[in-house]
Amino acid sequence: MSRAAGGAAGGAGKVATLSVFMEGTANPMDTITTQIALFDRLCVGTVLPVDGSGQSQANAPGHYKVSFEGCGVTLPVQGTLFATGLREQCAVIKSYVDSFISAGVFVKINFVGLSRGGIGGCYLAQELSDYSRDKVVLNMLLFDPVPGNLVWMARIDLLGLMNANRSMDVSSCKVLDRVVVLYPHEPLPDIAFHAPVLPTFPEGCQVDQDVILGCHQGALWLHSRADTCLAFARIRDFLIGCGSQLDRAKNVAPNLDVSEQTLANMLEGELRQTMPTTRCAHSKQSGVEIVRHSRGTYLNRSHEALLARLGNAPRGEDEARPKYMLDFA
């Protein structure tokens, strides 16, 4: 039994599954710009208002969802420049968690956030650090969590005031159960302030960090390509695996929801491409980079796991090439 399942069992079978979506800085939620809004549409659950006014609804077992547009949409200047508004969004989520707990309902939060929305996931984990696992568990998928700070600036931020340093450590969150963090490998110019953060997570939680195809939120566009189909599969499998309900019959962007064999063929095609890249990142360990090597045994960890599910035998190690073309260095 997973830790999440154990916590839910401790809730005497009264479980509320709260799916949370946070878009990237400039992205709305009422229009589908990226797959974050797409999965909001596919997710089945009672909609809770983003202003926190739905606490009277958050009192019974079932499926719920709350979805936040980008902080730069709600606060165009402060949100775009400083990610202002993320902690306020987390406070709304926390208020709903408190309402469920007060009603004697165990809460399972399945969080998906892009870019600054991913930073919001780190802040949510910090907000829930004092909660116990017999009341709530938190599962998170962070897609390219970008704080909006230059790496060298964060290094001299001795007071820890920048988002990069404020979001770096979530190791005190006892309710974290499963974490997936996905980093597209293609770099943007430094002036774009798009270096992602590699957070520190608590011991005992299940952490899956992988380097994937694409460039930031471009990997979440709605066109059918190797990068977008891989991103769709990772988010879909995370949500379903954590107990959220998806209505895949809605036929929204069906070209992204390809079979595992089709996706494997796409990734094999990428593995044959020689296009090395390097991308810097914020990390407690200085010098960590996100790289695409010239070659590899597998494209990435997602590729290796996909082939295993399809029944393919493990590929032999080759000292002349790295195990993963897309990796951390």
Side-chain angles (χ1 to χ4, degrees), residues 258-279:
V258 300
S259 70
E260 289 196 325
Q261 187 58 63
T262 297
L263 180 58
N265 293 341
M266 288 179 166
L267 301 187
E268 286 292 335
E270 286 290 333
L271 186 59
R272 293 191 289 269
Q273 304 298 317
T274 302
M275 296 183 294
T277 59
T278 301
R279 186 183 182 202

Side-chain angles (χ1 to χ4, degrees), residues 19-24 27-44 65 67-69 112 114 217 219-224 228-236 239 245-258:
S19 300
V20 179
F21 301 92
M22 281 193 184
E23 260 288 8
N27 298 331
M29 191 61 77
D30 56 357
T31 301
I32 299 179
T33 303
T34 77
Q35 292 181 33
I36 305 302
L38 171 65
F39 276 100
D40 165 60
R41 300 296 195 283
L42 295 176
C43 185
V44 178
K65 66 179 179 178
S67 306
F68 300 92
E69 57 193 0
V112 179
L114 160 66
Q217 72 175 22
L220 290 176
W221 292 152
L222 306 181
H223 318 295
S224 180
T228 55
C229 289
L230 175 59
F232 184 95
R234 291 304 314 257
I235 299 172
R236 176 200 65 205
L239 287 169
Q245 293 183 343
L246 300 180
D247 183 3
R248 294 162 69 184
K250 282 187 174 180
N251 205 35
V252 180
N255 292 336
L256 296 172
D257 198 1
V258 300

Side-chain angles (χ1 to χ4, degrees), residues 4 8 14-22 39-40 43-55 57-68 89-101 105-113 121 124 128 131 135-141 175 178 238-246:
K14 297 174 64 178
V15 181
T17 299
L18 177 59
S19 300
V20 179
F21 301 92
M22 281 193 184
F39 276 100
D40 165 60
C43 185
V44 178
T46 299
V47 177
L48 298 177
V50 297
D51 61 2
S53 62
Q55 294 187 26
Q57 300 173 265
N59 59 8
H63 286 266
Y64 300 80
K65 66 179 179 178
V66 58
S67 306
F68 300 92
Q89 292 175 349
C90 293
V92 169
I93 300 167
K94 186 178 177 181
S95 72
Y96 288 136
V97 170
D98 290 340
S99 295
F100 283 118
I101 292 175
V105 179
F106 177 87
V107 191
K108 177 168 61 174
I109 306 168
N110 296 333
F111 177 95
V112 179
L124 177 62
L128 299 177
Y131 286 64
K135 303 293 185 183
V136 58
V137 293
L138 172 63
N139 303 304
M140 299 195 304
L141 187 148
V175 301
R178 183 184 177 198
F238 166 81
L239 287 169
I240 293 174
C242 291
S244 294
Q245 293 183 343
L246 300 180

Side-chain angles (χ1 to χ4, degrees), residues 132-287:
S132 61
R133 296 187 62 84
D134 62 342
K135 303 293 185 183
V136 58
V137 293
L138 172 63
N139 303 304
M140 299 195 304
L141 187 148
L142 310 179
F143 199 99
D144 209 24
V146 168
N149 305 123
L150 295 174
V151 172
W152 70 267
M153 293 178 65
R155 288 290 176 194
I156 62 174
D157 175 29
L158 300 181
L159 297 179
L161 300 178
M162 292 184 175
N163 286 306
N165 292 319
R166 295 172 68 194
S167 64
M168 184 81 68
D169 190 351
V170 297
S171 61
S172 63
C173 183
K174 300 180 292 293
V175 301
L176 265 180
D177 190 68
R178 183 184 177 198
V179 181
V180 177
V181 196
L182 303 175
Y183 299 94
H185 75 92
E186 295 181 27
L188 284 166
D190 288 346
I191 194 63
F193 290 76
H194 271 68
V197 65
L198 278 69
T200 302
F201 298 105
E203 293 184 5
C205 76
Q206 179 186 347
V207 180
D208 175 3
Q209 292 177 299
D210 201 9
V211 179
I212 62 172
L213 295 166
C215 179
H216 193 51
Q217 72 175 22
L220 290 176
W221 292 152
L222 306 181
H223 318 295
S224 180
R225 305 183 309 236
D227 58 342
T228 55
C229 289
L230 175 59
F232 184 95
R234 291 304 314 257
I235 299 172
R236 176 200 65 205
D237 294 348
F238 166 81
L239 287 169
I240 293 174
C242 291
S244 294
Q245 293 183 343
L246 300 180
D247 183 3
R248 294 162 69 184
K250 282 187 174 180
N251 205 35
V252 180
N255 292 336
L256 296 172
D257 198 1
V258 300
S259 70
E260 289 196 325
Q261 187 58 63
T262 297
L263 180 58
N265 293 341
M266 288 179 166
L267 301 187
E268 286 292 335
E270 286 290 333
L271 186 59
R272 293 191 289 269
Q273 304 298 317
T274 302
M275 296 183 294
T277 59
T278 301
R279 186 183 182 202
C280 61
H282 299 277
S283 175
K284 281 192 173 181
Q285 179 183 349
S286 63

